[in-house]
Amino acid sequence: MRILVIDVGSTSVRAAVLDEGGHLHHEHRVAAPRSTPAPGLVEFDPVALWDATRRAVAATLAAAPGPDAVGIANQRASTVVWRRAGGEPAGVGLGWQDLRTAADCLSLQSEGLRLAPNQPATKAAHLVAAADRPPDELCIGTLDSWLVWNLTGGTQHLTDATNAAITGLTHGDRVEWDLAVAERLGIPAAGLPRIVDSSGPLAEATALPGGPLITGLAGDQQAALVGAGCVGRGDVKITFGTGGTLDACLGPGDPPAEIRGPSGTFPIVAWQRQGQVVWGIEAMMLSAGSCVSWLCELGLIENPGDSDAVAAACADSGSVSFVPAQMGLGTPDWDFGARSAFAGMTTATGHPQMVRAVLEGVAHRGTDLLEAARSDSGLELAAPVVDGGMSANATFIQAFADAAGCAIRVAPEIECTALGAGFLAGLGIGFWSDWDEVASLRSPRRTIEPRRQADRAAWQEAKQRAAGWHPDLSAVSF
């Protein structure tokens, strides 16, 4: 059994083959850069993205032809509008970070519509309004829809439940399009994709040799949840990349809070299979690995990987605290006006203490996410599985275990997204029979236990000092 997996990220496309043992082979990555023509604007070329996908897939299939199925994971919320006849994009694609519709979101709050600029709803409305074709001639979609459209030769316009549920265009208690919201935004119902399962026979990829079935489809964070083996109620993973995202599996049944929980988490569809929705909650920190990259820009370390050894050169940070908030604070605070800060520095503070403080600050923010998820879910939650670039940093993982006061399990792969797409696809063709079989393939690389009690109170005090730095931004709530 071989499954072709396609993982579309923010700046690149990765293709690989997943085998029956749950291992990836023949990986190829092709850059798909974004542009920032002005502050707050993030755009990409949909045609170039599809071309990058074709090239990555072609390289993988040259080494491993004849896949049994295809699984796709995509960076969520980036939005494309294209012409139904011909398939040409009606304009640029808008990246998930694009903020050009922030004012629209604030204006819509007066009408009772709670939308955020990082959701596709207002992005799609902006692109439809700017298109040079009548709205009823357009297709609207996120990156999964755009790829499936091209992989099927323009015959299938669909999205899976994980992607649909974060658009701002579905009902809060069920994964169906809210046509009243779409109409208010000027989005034609006929242009919206059909919502399908995340796992199962979805469409035939006629653009690929042999026309294999697409049987797995999910947003990147949900795919990483599956790829980490977090498929039971109370399982949780945290991805520490540029930012940090926690996802917890709650299971089937009633959805969690419709908009946002009291502790700042929000509901997601973890996956949908055989028509059954499995719900989850998500928590986010806006700055994680970006803080380590910033240390490179300051000249304190040469590359992000050096942060581990430099921080380990000192036993502690010398009572220095760092608050990672270059872009504000996400869960549980949602303070866009907060800014990063060092606190407690003295003339004795050296660059090892500063580097350690940054790693510990990210660990404290990860603990914020974990505490918020426990509170909003009402569950104790399992020991979190950590993936992402920072999962390879031993000093950081130990600091996270100390701050969280619990065991931290490190995922066997740094990136679990492609694995999750492959597992969903394998379940979709019946190669694996159930979630227990999938979970059995995932054993942590290592488990780290707490060694000492971190001073959460001192760090929380530092966070309060960093809060509200720009009051106007702090007053904004999406």
Side-chain angles (χ1 to χ4, degrees):
M1 188 281 301
R2 290 185 300 186
I3 295 172
L4 171 67
V5 293
I6 303 171
D7 178 10
V8 185
S10 294
T11 58
S12 67
V13 179
R14 179 168 61 141
V17 168
L18 182 71
D19 66 19
E20 60 273 11
H23 303 291
L24 293 172
H25 306 278
H26 309 297
E27 179 180 321
H28 291 272
R29 190 186 297 265
V30 176
R34 309 265 164 131
S35 63
T36 54
L41 305 186
V42 183
E43 302 175 352
F44 63 94
D45 180 348
V47 174
L49 178 68
W50 167 237
D51 182 64
T53 303
R54 287 193 303 107
R55 286 188 284 139
V57 167
T60 292
L61 293 184
D68 299 289
V70 180
I72 300 172
N74 62 285
Q75 184 278 308
R76 305 173 307 182
S78 294
T79 307
V80 183
V81 171
W82 65 96
R83 301 181 181 97
R84 187 179 299 276
E88 302 89 358
V92 298
L94 300 186
W96 70 271
Q97 310 101 316
D98 190 274
L99 298 176
R100 72 188 68 197
T101 63
D104 298 332
C105 293
L106 292 174
S107 177
L108 289 165
Q109 287 184 9
S110 64
E111 302 179 27
L113 282 180
R114 188 80 179 268
L115 298 171
N118 64 332
Q119 291 179 296
T122 54
K123 298 182 192 296
H126 175 87
L127 290 171
V128 168
D132 61 355
R133 288 290 188 276
D136 59 0
E137 296 181 10
L138 301 174
C139 291
I140 299 106
T142 43
L143 295 185
D144 59 321
S145 301
W146 174 240
L147 288 193
V148 169
W149 174 272
N150 285 283
L151 285 168
T152 62
T155 63
Q156 298 293 324
H157 183 32
L158 55 83
T159 187
D160 94 298
T162 68
N163 281 287
I166 56 89
T167 60
L169 292 169
T170 59
H171 293 277
D173 59 348
R174 59 192 187 281
V175 192
E176 298 175 4
W177 297 123
D178 188 330
L179 299 183
V181 172
E183 181 180 9
R184 167 61 187 85
L185 297 176
I187 298 172
L192 293 171
R194 176 168 56 95
I195 301 174
V196 300
D197 284 347
S198 311
S199 178
L202 306 178
E204 186 178 355
T206 55
L208 301 182
L213 283 177
I214 301 170
T215 58
L217 198 60
D220 53 1
Q221 297 301 330
Q222 290 94 326
L225 185 71
V226 172
C230 297
V231 294
R233 178 174 169 81
D235 286 348
V236 58
K237 71 86 186 165
I238 308 182
T239 300
F240 288 99
T242 301
T245 306
L246 176 151
D247 292 276
C249 178
L250 302 185
D254 294 331
E258 183 173 340
I259 299 295
R260 186 183 293 168
S263 295
T265 67
F266 47 92
I268 59 166
V269 171
W271 63 81
Q272 179 177 298
R273 185 168 177 242
Q274 297 175 342
Q276 184 183 57
V277 172
V278 172
W279 297 96
I281 56 173
E282 189 164 278
M284 298 182 69
M285 57 185 295
L286 306 178
S287 302
S290 60
C291 299
V292 182
S293 298
W294 174 65
L295 291 175
C296 300
E297 296 172 12
L298 292 179
L300 295 179
I301 54 177
E302 290 189 11
N303 60 72
D306 291 342
S307 62
D308 184 12
V310 172
C314 56
D316 56 56
S317 66
S319 299
V320 176
S321 294
F322 175 76
V323 182
Q326 279 96 326
M327 299 175 64
L329 292 168
T331 308
D333 311 272
W334 290 109
D335 179 356
F336 294 102
R339 287 297 178 264
S340 291
F342 281 100
M345 296 176 67
T346 70
T347 55
T349 301
H351 77 276
Q353 287 80 17
M354 294 178 69
V355 172
R356 176 177 278 275
V358 167
L359 297 183
E360 291 178 351
V362 175
H364 279 290
R365 284 292 292 128
T367 303
D368 282 353
L369 305 191
L370 191 58
E371 291 175 349
R374 286 172 177 156
S375 177
D376 282 350
S377 69
L379 301 175
E380 177 56 30
L381 299 180
V385 176
V386 172
D387 75 326
M390 293 189 71
S391 67
N393 190 311
T395 304
F396 165 70
I397 295 296
Q398 185 62 61
F400 186 25
D402 294 342
C406 69
I408 303 298
R409 296 180 290 166
V410 180
E413 286 82 17
I414 289 180
E415 298 179 10
C416 291
T417 308
L419 286 168
F423 288 143
L424 288 166
L427 284 166
I429 58 172
F431 182 79
W432 293 297
S433 59
D434 54 34
W435 289 113
D436 289 340
E437 193 172 356
V438 168
S440 70
L441 300 173
R442 315 306 303 139
S443 297
R445 192 186 331 158
R446 61 184 186 274
T447 300
I448 306 300
E449 299 286 347
R451 289 181 182 170
R452 59 186 177 186
Q453 185 175 1
D455 192 343
R456 287 282 287 162
W459 185 83
Q460 292 285 3
E461 181 179 350
K463 187 172 75 166
Q464 288 301 313
R465 293 171 182 261
W469 203 255
H470 296 286
D472 290 345
L473 287 175
S474 296
V476 172
S477 177
F478 295 112

